[in-house]
């Protein structure tokens, strides 16, 4: 029996344990990295979401979690702050935000449209290649936008992701791409990477934000 | 029916779809954020792992994925590089590595031992409080170690995590802590956070690494 078959079979067996009460923990103060409570009441529940296959919905909840943290970091930044370059090597916070939208779009092309990595439609390369590449290309072309521009781009690519995920099932999510550059890689891994990639750059966004001209507070 | 019950029920139903062939994608080149292929042949498969309940094993594979990226970033750094402070606000790369081990240990205390966040055993606070806090406390006390020290600390806390997770089931993972500081938060979310928190600081580690004295290359 394959791992995947075993996985879903065990999944079914595990349902027998659900009458057990969930452990109740109490927590008085925040973790160092903990965000403040938010209006999104379900943001800190990782699990199935209505309208998605169960594992796919679980992935969607992860994408929501890390996106929530990114948007919290970017909140209230001005155009000058979004354009600021901390040194000659740095990417602006605006470029990092657009990079997240670009990465998500390239993974859509790879996993939804079965495009080989590096063999993407020219219009996608043209539209988002600078943001995907960052560095000199990003520094040259990504500037002069208000925060809402980046939020709109992020929302637009996320809407396409969620629409694509809704049409796919858990077997697709666990499906393995044997020829991916990382070695055998399943769609769950590629999309988990999209989520944790937002955290990776959110760490940089927070670092840069605390060093913007006039910023106060200790480093992250 | 609760979401959790629905989740596992749907999980069972989904097994019917498993006879479908997994989509085969081809990929020629790496994503911007893509690591090089690794000897860990399963590192880029997110899914169940032998010895774990299926969803718990899926989480364990996420922890392995982000940890692999962190260790790759830290590889070959010298003590001087691990201790380097890029500015007065900065954390050293060494302190960030120990912070990851500390965060994991505090989440063990919270989720395995049911300790309230902020009400931890004094020996844990004493041993890892500086690493958890970072900032001045970390800058003062975390220095003078070779990379192996940090790797050992990371391995030690990870071994305790995996041992704890092996003893727990999927119902536990989905169990909700209604009094957590983020609002209702399940164990899946807390441990997903431990994984993506590594990515958050890995983004910073890569940023700092590219700005070490003598470092070459463009920024991240």
């Amino acid at each position: 029996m394959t791992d995947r078959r075993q996985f879903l079979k065990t999944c079914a067996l595990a349902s027998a344990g659900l009458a057990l009460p969930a452990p109740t923990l109490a927590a008085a103060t925040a973790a160092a990295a903990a965000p403040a409570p938010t209006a999104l009441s379900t943001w800190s529940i990782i699990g199935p979401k209505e309208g998605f296959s169960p594992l796919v919905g679980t992935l969607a909840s992860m994408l929501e979690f890390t996106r929530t943290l990114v948007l919290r970091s970017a909140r209230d930044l001005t155009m000058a702050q979004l354009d600021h370059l901390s040194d000659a090597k740095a990417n602006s916070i605006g470029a990092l935000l657009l990079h997240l939208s670009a990465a998500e779009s390239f993974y859509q092309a790879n996993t939804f449209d079965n495009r080989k990595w590096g063999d993407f439609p020219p219009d996608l390369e043209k539209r988002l290649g600078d943001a995907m590449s960052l560095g000199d290309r990003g520094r040259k072309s990504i500037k002069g936008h208000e925060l809402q521009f980046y939020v709109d781009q992020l929302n637009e690519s996320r809407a396409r992701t969620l629409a694509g995920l809704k049409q796919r099932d858990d077997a697709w999510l666990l499906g393995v791409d044997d020829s991916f550059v990382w070695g055998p890689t399943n769609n769950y891994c590629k999309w988990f990477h999209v989520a944790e990639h937002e955290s990776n750059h959110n760490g940089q966004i927070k670092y840069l934000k605390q060093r913007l001209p006039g910023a106060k507070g200790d480093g992250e």
Side-chain angles (χ1 to χ4, degrees), chain A:
Chain A
M1 187 179 284
T2 66
D3 269 358
R4 292 195 296 136
R5 295 193 75 141
Q6 183 62 46
F7 181 33
L8 295 189
K9 187 180 174 208
T10 316
C11 226
L13 295 174
S15 62
L18 282 179
L20 293 171
T24 299
L25 308 172
T29 60
T38 160
L40 291 165
S41 64
T42 62
W43 84 285
S44 52
I45 299 292
I46 296 296
K49 288 173 80 79
E50 206 175 314
F52 298 88
S53 181
L55 298 180
V56 174
T58 301
L59 166 73
S61 69
M62 295 175 192
L63 290 167
E64 178 183 341
F65 185 87
T66 57
R67 173 61 56 83
T68 301
L69 300 181
V70 168
L71 293 180
R72 191 168 300 161
S73 297
R75 193 171 46 195
D76 298 331
L77 291 177
T78 65
M79 189 193 295
Q81 292 173 322
L82 291 161
D83 284 352
H84 182 73
L85 293 168
S86 69
D87 63 26
K89 286 182 178 182
N91 298 300
S92 71
I93 294 176
L96 292 174
L97 292 172
L98 198 60
H99 176 66
L100 298 181
S101 176
E104 186 160 348
S105 300
F106 280 86
Y107 273 96
Q108 288 165 4
N110 176 248
T111 67
F112 294 167
D113 305 330
N114 292 359
R115 300 292 300 219
K116 288 186 190 181
W117 201 274
D119 178 27
F120 292 112
D123 64 319
L124 184 62
E125 295 275 12
K126 188 174 174 190
R127 190 163 57 85
L128 292 170
D130 289 353
M132 194 66 191
S133 301
L134 291 173
D136 276 339
R137 289 179 62 183
R139 280 186 287 272
K140 201 167 292 182
S141 69
I142 306 168
K143 61 180 85 170
H145 303 293
E146 297 288 357
L147 177 61
Q148 194 58 47
F149 167 81
Y150 299 105
V151 172
D152 288 345
Q153 295 287 318
L154 286 163
N155 287 343
E156 193 182 297
S157 52
R158 179 55 47 90
R160 284 197 304 275
T161 295
L162 296 179
L165 290 177
K166 278 182 181 171
Q167 295 166 21
R168 287 165 173 83
D169 62 14
D170 292 349
W172 171 85
L173 192 69
L174 296 170
V176 176
D177 174 2
D178 283 320
S179 64
F180 199 59
V181 67
W182 299 348
T185 302
N186 61 8
N187 285 320
Y188 207 159
C189 182
K190 293 179 183 180
W191 282 98
F192 169 72
H193 170 58
V194 172
E196 64 84 26
H197 175 250
E198 303 228 348
S199 302
N200 173 89
H201 288 297
N202 190 36
Q204 297 173 342
I205 289 169
K206 289 187 290 181
Y207 183 98
L208 295 170
K209 191 178 157 186
Q210 290 184 319
R211 287 158 180 82
L212 287 170
K216 293 201 174 83
D218 206 352
E220 283 241 16

